[in-house]
Amino acid sequence: MLTKEENDMLTQVGPGTPAGELLRRYWLPVGVANELTPENPTQTVRILGETLVLFRDKSGTVGLLNDRCQHRGASLTYGRVETRGIACPYHGWLYDTKGDCLETPAEPCESKFHLTVKQKAYPVQKLVGLYWAYLGPLPAPLMTNFDIWFRQDGHRKLFIQPPLDCNWFQPMENSMDPAHLQILHQNTANRGRSIQDTTRGLTDDVQEFDFYETSYGLMKRRTYKNGMIDEHPVIFPNILRQGNVGQIRVPMDDTHTKVYFVRFFPTANGEIVEHDDPPAEYIKPYKNPPDALHPFTKFRMDAVQAQDHMAWETQGPICDRTQERLTSSDRGVILLREVMFREIKKVQQGLDPMGVIRDPANNPFIDTHLMESIEQSSNNRAPRAVNE
Ligand code: FES
Ligand SMILES: [Fe+2]
């Protein structure tokens, strides 16, 4: 159980909040690259409690600016992209991707007023078919050298999950909560086996759960009675690797989370793929009505991700951790919270938190031992799992 202050510390993501400042030390996805087209060159990004505009100008440069125009506040999402940047739809103030104001059309020609105007701008880079932004203090660190992002011997595909209407830390705690699989997912992760006892589900398959820290985050491990071992790394602070999928949870604000899945498909013979331009599949909502909250919506319960979204959202928009009864199987959840508090403290002391790398010569490749093929699944590792 946490105090209200501790719960706030884990869950508030806006500027100046403890977790918000921690999360601002990492590159985070802000959009699907293929969605920015000449016909639709702008989109609103809601991230860490900020409302931003992502755009590609006519020179092909991509920028991420505060969405609210410095002049009198109109949204730049409705602006016109031009060769030099984006022009506010209201009075045409023109901003480049660095946030410099280049024009204020209604001012006298000789006016230098625009030189005094600076729009908040964040660095953007493209990786695995996504645009990623860094919202923290400069200089920006390096992108995590994670196998799903950087292995070249395969293709990738994006799966854009439906909106998750709850706080980001609920799916993260779930990533360190192995016991739920054998209960919540007993009818979706049972691989055709009939369940003898629905009260215990698949629980008695498991010998033990272990949790430990790694250089890049945390690991949860299930050891099954048949000797099979199932390990799922958490790339601190907001990514779960499950199967060959990197599940990225991006806090939009305290009560909404954007979830991107990046799945890696290795080539059969290790062949290098030169141009991997991942297509995106958009997953339909798991609840109906899709924009309502529990108890005013109903989740489907016939798919693993739907079951998880149900569990996370029904914990509340922000789970009240002053009201809970943790037990021995929650020690992964407790470890994650301890690591968060410790890393938050580092940021408050002016230090880099876990996983922030700045030296290209010291950016170790994070090899999480992706499965090479379906066949490999019998090799003392969990089958290509549909669970986490
Ligand atoms: S509100 Fe943007 S130019 Fe006036
Ligand atoms: Fe789950």
Side-chain angles (χ1 to χ4, degrees):
M1 196 187 289
L2 298 182
T3 64
K4 177 166 186 325
E5 291 68 32
E6 289 168 331
N7 201 32
D8 289 348
M9 196 179 277
L10 295 174
T11 56
Q12 294 179 353
V13 299
T17 60
E21 290 306 306
L22 172 85
L23 288 157
R24 281 170 171 78
R25 266 58 181 181
Y26 302 88
W27 287 91
L28 302 171
V30 288
V32 176
N34 287 339
E35 288 180 15
L36 279 192
T37 62
E39 297 73 39
N40 292 295
T42 73
Q43 58 181 237
T44 308
V45 172
R46 180 83 176 142
I47 184 168
L48 300 180
E50 300 185 39
T51 302
L52 310 173
V53 58
L54 179 70
F55 66 98
R56 183 189 290 131
D57 68 23
K58 287 188 175 163
S59 73
T61 312
V62 173
L64 184 68
L65 302 178
N66 188 15
D67 184 59
R68 187 181 190 282
C69 178
Q70 287 280 302
H71 179 213
R72 280 167 44 212
S75 165
L76 295 181
T77 300
Y78 297 89
R80 283 167 287 105
V81 296
E82 303 191 351
T83 307
R84 293 180 294 162
I86 188 166
C88 177
Y90 204 0
H91 314 94
W93 287 22
L94 177 68
Y95 301 98
D96 68 12
T97 54
K98 293 192 170 53
D100 290 328
C101 183
L102 308 180
E103 302 269 359
T104 50
E107 291 307 293
C109 288
E110 65 279 12
S111 170
K112 296 280 181 264
F113 177 81
H114 63 275
L115 297 176
T116 68
V117 178
K118 182 81 179 172
Q119 186 76 341
K120 197 192 288 175
Y122 296 117
V124 179
Q125 62 174 304
K126 185 177 165 184
L127 181 72
V128 297
L130 297 169
Y131 286 119
W132 300 65
Y134 175 76
L135 277 68
L138 297 171
L142 300 171
M143 187 70 80
T144 305
N145 196 2
F146 176 33
D147 50 8
I148 291 192
W149 306 165
F150 286 102
R151 266 179 60 164
Q152 291 183 298
D153 57 329
H155 297 274
R156 290 166 185 80
K157 183 172 176 185
L158 306 174
F159 296 88
I160 311 304
Q161 295 291 322
L164 176 62
D165 295 322
C166 70
N167 183 259
W168 76 289
F169 207 62
Q170 283 150 231
M172 291 320 300
E173 287 188 334
N174 173 274
S175 300
M176 291 298 287
D177 165 18
H180 85 273
L181 160 66
Q182 279 73 25
I183 299 292
L184 178 65
H185 304 311
Q186 61 178 282
N187 64 338
T188 45
N190 55 341
R191 303 185 184 98
R193 276 171 54 197
S194 61
I195 306 295
Q196 304 302 323
D197 172 356
T198 51
T199 304
R200 298 193 62 77
L202 302 166
T203 302
D204 296 320
D205 290 355
V206 177
Q207 182 77 38
E208 61 179 352
F209 301 131
D210 293 305
F211 308 92
Y212 57 93
E213 283 195 61
T214 63
S215 58
Y216 52 78
L218 303 101
M219 186 76 83
K220 77 165 181 290
R221 176 157 83 168
R222 293 184 191 92
T223 304
Y224 289 86
K225 288 177 181 161
N226 68 4
M228 201 168 72
I229 291 172
D230 196 8
E231 286 195 315
H232 296 143
V234 168
I235 316 298
F236 189 79
N238 68 325
I239 299 166
L240 170 71
R241 199 277 287 153
Q242 187 280 317
N244 281 10
V245 179
Q247 302 186 13
I248 317 165
R249 289 78 179 252
V250 184
M252 299 170 73
D253 52 34
D254 295 353
T255 54
H256 300 90
T257 305
K258 180 94 185 163
V259 182
Y260 301 88
F261 281 20
V262 182
R263 183 162 176 182
F264 181 73
F265 297 87
T267 48
N269 49 8
E271 191 187 326
I272 299 298
V273 175
E274 296 288 348
H275 297 291
D276 182 26
D277 189 15
E281 181 176 328
Y282 295 82
I283 309 297
K284 291 201 189 84
Y286 297 131
K287 57 181 180 175
N288 185 23
D291 51 0
L293 299 181
H294 176 70
F296 304 105
T297 190
K298 186 152 175 65
F299 288 85
R300 53 183 282 208
M301 286 289 286
D302 58 348
V304 168
Q305 289 305 317
Q307 293 169 333
D308 280 326
H309 275 233
M310 177 285 299
W312 305 339
E313 285 199 18
T314 60
Q315 288 179 294
I318 301 174
C319 180
D320 181 359
R321 295 176 180 78
T322 68
Q323 305 289 325
E324 60 182 8
R325 298 289 304 275
L326 298 187
T327 184
S328 67
S329 56
D330 294 310
R331 54 195 198 284
V333 170
I334 293 166
L335 176 63
L336 175 64
R337 294 178 188 178
E338 287 171 354
V339 170
M340 270 292 289
F341 289 131
R342 185 189 71 205
E343 298 302 312
I344 283 172
K345 192 172 277 181
K346 278 195 211 164
V347 172
Q348 291 172 336
Q349 292 169 341
L351 303 171
D352 280 336
M354 175 189 267
V356 169
I357 307 271
R358 298 185 180 278
D359 178 4
N362 184 23
N363 189 10
F365 182 65
I366 300 175
D367 183 354
T368 62
H369 307 290
L370 304 178
M371 280 177 279
E372 298 308 311
S373 65
I374 300 283
E375 293 72 52
Q376 206 197 17
S377 63
S378 58
N379 207 2
N380 208 32
R381 298 187 70 81
R384 181 178 292 279
V386 290
N387 54 66
E388 79 287 315

